């Protein structure tokens, strides 16, 4: 029995192997979606790439993704890169399908690949299919709504642009695309750096959302210093002819130095470590050592737990757009915080945890990877609060931290800090109002209002004068009628009710008359001239 059972199992395995080898490629393909790589999709833009991009995409896979933007807008697609090993697009190709058209298939060098495709609809299906091949990066494309005709892909670099100043729209999802950047937000970026990835590194846009960037090209520098910021590590760079910077929103000042140094009593901690030095002296790693501007050791907690925190009181509610951190800064004490979360509150309110842009989960920030290097994280949207707490989540050896908060006072902030997704419409005007910026203001007279008051002061007396003039004319007419009734009627029936206006014969000389011109729709007709007759002429200047 054992021998026959083993023989049957061997036959079944051999049959399965033969069927697998003889099966057509579409049966050998992996399940739908296995060919998809980096994909970040937001309501107004996104980025899609094949699996392993820019490495070789796998054999026998399919990637199919439906993308959609809000109704009433047109879909713009830009293909940043396409390298598919196929000459006839039979088993390796990319197609873009909308409700009315099919774009593609695209592959190899069979047909030119358009850099930009504009659809008449707000949705499309991207389909990438691979068969057997040896090489090929696959594809990378970005999309956005027709609100952003200046869309670029994640692969565009600053040296692709010749203008010294320009504005472009970065799609969501450029952070994890392969490609180097060199420099930092303070000194600028080398012109060979990827634009959108640099913008995320600088905290200008969030990777989850994308957004508009404003770029200024300047003369290059001899060296570019790389740092870790917003989850992206920029590289050190060498001399270049040009560099670029992003226009500042004005809310990136040090909050510990901008309005005078914050008192030591305004920075507290859950606990502090007391070190005994080699010579027996007591060294306090107290909270006041946590300021980044203060030389020497940092703050360090006495315990290693998730309940430890460092709290800063800014004295008043402020707009906090970022944070810079280091570890202990001491070579012999390799202490640092790897990840942390942020809590914040205002007067008489409860602590709240800063959450992700598109989720309701707490945002975990990437901290330091050694004791000395500086790391920056930006808050998009910004935190508006008086009190903040940094709560370490993971650390190396011991919790140790130096910090600097970046931001500005509320009155210095402008509307660019509030993304439409964090605004709500005003009930009275329908204008979006930020939750943290509800301010009651008194109406201020504008220039138009002042001009209206001046015109009113001129026009009203004129109108009053005209009314008095017309009233006087009516009284004069009434007096004339009364006199004529007493003196006898004219022979013509028309003369019995002549009124105050009559056409005057040319031989008569006009006395104290006022001339009016009446316009006609028919240009061939000659304007008729009428005279206002005074009481002195009333008895002898009417025509019967």
């Amino acid at each position: 029995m054992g021998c026959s059972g083993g023989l049957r199992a061997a036959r079944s395995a051999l049959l399965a192997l033969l069927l697998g080898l003889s099966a057509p490629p579409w049966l050998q393909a992996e399940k739908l979606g296995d060919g998809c790589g980096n994909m970040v999709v937001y309501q107004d833009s996104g980025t899609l790439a094949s699996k392993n991009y820019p490495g070789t995409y796998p054999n026998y896979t399919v990637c199919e993704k439906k993308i959609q933007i809000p109704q009433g807008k047109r879909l713009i697609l830009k293909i940043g890169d396409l390298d598919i090993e196929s000459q006839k697009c039979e088993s390796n190709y990319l197609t873009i399908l909308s409700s009315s058209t099919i774009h593609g298939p695209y592959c190899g060098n069979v047909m030119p690949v358009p850099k930009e495709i504009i659809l008449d609809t707000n949705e499309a299906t991207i389909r990438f299919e691979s068969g057997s091949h040896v090489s090929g990066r696959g594809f990378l494309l970005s999309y956005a709504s027709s609100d952003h005709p200046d869309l670029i892909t994640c692969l565009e670099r600053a040296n692709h642009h010749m203008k010294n100043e320009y504005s472009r729209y970065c799609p969501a999802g450029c952070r994890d695309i392969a490609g180097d950047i060199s420099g930092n937000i303070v000194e600028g970026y080398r012109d060979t750096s990827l634009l959108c990835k640099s913008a995320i590194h600088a905290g200008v846009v969030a990777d989850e959302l994308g957004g508009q960037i404003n770029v200024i090209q300047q003369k290059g520098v001899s060296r570019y210093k790389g740092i870790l910021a917003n989850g992206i590590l920029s590289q050190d760079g060498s001399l270049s002819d040009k560099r670029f910077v992003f226009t500042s929103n004005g809310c990136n000042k040090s909050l510990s130095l901008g309005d005078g140094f914050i008192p030591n009593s305004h920075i507290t901690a859950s606990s502090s470590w007391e070190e005994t030095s080699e010579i027996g002296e007591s060294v306090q790693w107290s909270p006041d050592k946590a300021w980044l501007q203060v030389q020497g050791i940092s703050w360090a907690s006495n315990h290693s737990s998730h309940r430890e925190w460092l709290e800063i009181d800014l004295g008043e509610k402020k707009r906090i757009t970022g944070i810079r951190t280091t570890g202990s800064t001491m070579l012999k004490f390799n202490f640092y915080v790897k990840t942390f979360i942020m809590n914040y509150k205002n007067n008489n309110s409860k602590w709240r945890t800063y959450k992700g842009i598109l989720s309701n989960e707490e945002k975990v920030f990437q901290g330091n990877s050694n004791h000395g290097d500086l790391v920056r994280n930006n808050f998009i949207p910004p935190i508006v609060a008086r009190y903040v707490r940094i709560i370490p989540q993971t650390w190396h050896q011991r919790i140790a931290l130096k910090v600097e908060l970046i931001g500005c006072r509320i009155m210095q902030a402008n509307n660019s800090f509030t993304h439409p997704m964090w605004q709500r419409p005003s009930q009275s005007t329908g204008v979006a109002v930020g939750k943290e910026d509800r301010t009651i203001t008194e109406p201020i007279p504008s220039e138009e209002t002042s001009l209206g008051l001046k015109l009113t002061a001129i026009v009203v007396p004129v109108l009053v004068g005209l009314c008095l003039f017309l009233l006087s004319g009516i009284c004069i007419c009434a007096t004339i009628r009364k006199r004529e009734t007493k003196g006898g009627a004219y022979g013509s029936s028309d003369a019995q009710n002549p009124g105050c206006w009559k056409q005057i014969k040319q031989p008569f000389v006009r006395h104290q008359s006022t001339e009016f011109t009446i316009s006609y729709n028919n240009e061939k007709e000659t304007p008729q001239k009428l005279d206002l007759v005074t009481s002195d002429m009333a008895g002898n200047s009417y025509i019967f």
Side-chain angles (χ1 to χ4, degrees), residues 383-408:
I383 296 173
V384 180
R386 174 179 173 176
Y387 303 93
V388 293
R389 276 185 179 179
I390 301 100
I391 304 176
Q393 298 297 292
T394 58
W395 51 88
H396 183 260
Q397 294 185 11
R398 180 182 291 274
I399 295 173
L401 194 64
K402 276 184 175 290
V403 302
E404 179 186 30
L405 295 177
I406 303 167
C408 60

Side-chain angles (χ1 to χ4, degrees), residues 216-286:
I216 300 175
Q217 293 210 71
Q218 299 177 344
K219 184 179 179 180
V221 295
S222 59
R223 182 177 178 272
Y224 299 89
K225 183 180 180 181
I227 67 167
L228 177 64
N230 299 309
I232 299 174
L233 178 62
S234 64
Q235 305 296 320
D236 292 341
S238 58
L239 173 68
S240 67
D241 291 335
K242 292 184 178 181
R243 61 177 170 141
F244 65 93
V245 296
F246 298 100
T247 56
S248 171
N249 55 26
C251 196
N252 53 6
K253 308 298 182 183
S254 171
L255 293 180
S256 57
L257 292 176
D259 299 319
F261 203 80
I262 298 175
N264 289 338
S265 59
H266 282 213
I267 183 165
T268 56
S270 54
S271 66
S272 297
W273 180 44
E274 183 178 348
E275 174 210 355
T276 302
S277 67
E278 295 177 352
I279 59 175
E281 292 182 348
S282 177
V283 180
Q284 297 287 338
W285 293 59
S286 53

Side-chain angles (χ1 to χ4, degrees), residues 333-483:
F333 298 102
N334 193 24
F335 308 152
Y336 53 89
V337 173
K338 295 180 179 179
T339 59
F340 61 92
I341 61 174
M342 296 292 298
N343 281 6
Y344 62 95
K345 78 181 187 93
N346 289 301
N347 296 332
N348 303 320
S349 66
K350 295 181 179 180
W351 286 103
R352 300 173 63 185
T353 301
Y354 188 86
K355 297 183 178 180
I357 296 174
L358 302 179
S359 68
N360 201 34
E361 299 178 357
E362 62 185 24
K363 171 84 171 178
V364 179
F365 294 93
Q366 184 176 348
N368 298 85
S369 57
N370 56 50
H371 69 279
D373 288 343
L374 189 67
V375 173
R376 179 173 47 81
N377 283 280
N378 287 86
F379 305 130
I380 303 177
I383 296 173
V384 180
R386 174 179 173 176
Y387 303 93
V388 293
R389 276 185 179 179
I390 301 100
I391 304 176
Q393 298 297 292
T394 58
W395 51 88
H396 183 260
Q397 294 185 11
R398 180 182 291 274
I399 295 173
L401 194 64
K402 276 184 175 290
V403 302
E404 179 186 30
L405 295 177
I406 303 167
C408 60
R409 301 183 69 180
I410 299 295
M411 64 182 66
Q412 295 175 347
N414 57 39
N415 294 333
S416 65
F417 299 111
T418 308
H419 192 277
M421 71 173 293
W422 304 303
Q423 294 180 338
R424 58 176 179 79
S426 170
Q427 294 179 354
S428 58
T429 63
V431 179
V433 179
K435 291 183 179 179
E436 299 289 349
D437 298 325
R438 288 173 286 183
T439 306
I440 300 174
T441 58
E442 295 181 0
I444 301 174
S446 62
E447 293 182 4
E448 290 82 356
T449 305
S450 301
L451 180 59
L453 292 173
K454 293 177 181 178
L455 289 175
T456 302
I458 297 172
V459 172
V460 169
V462 172
L463 291 176
V464 172
L466 287 174
C467 290
L468 292 174
F469 178 75
L470 291 174
L471 185 61
S472 300
I474 293 171
C475 293
I476 292 171
C477 289
T479 304
I480 293 171
R481 286 184 182 181
K482 188 174 181 180
R483 289 179 180 178

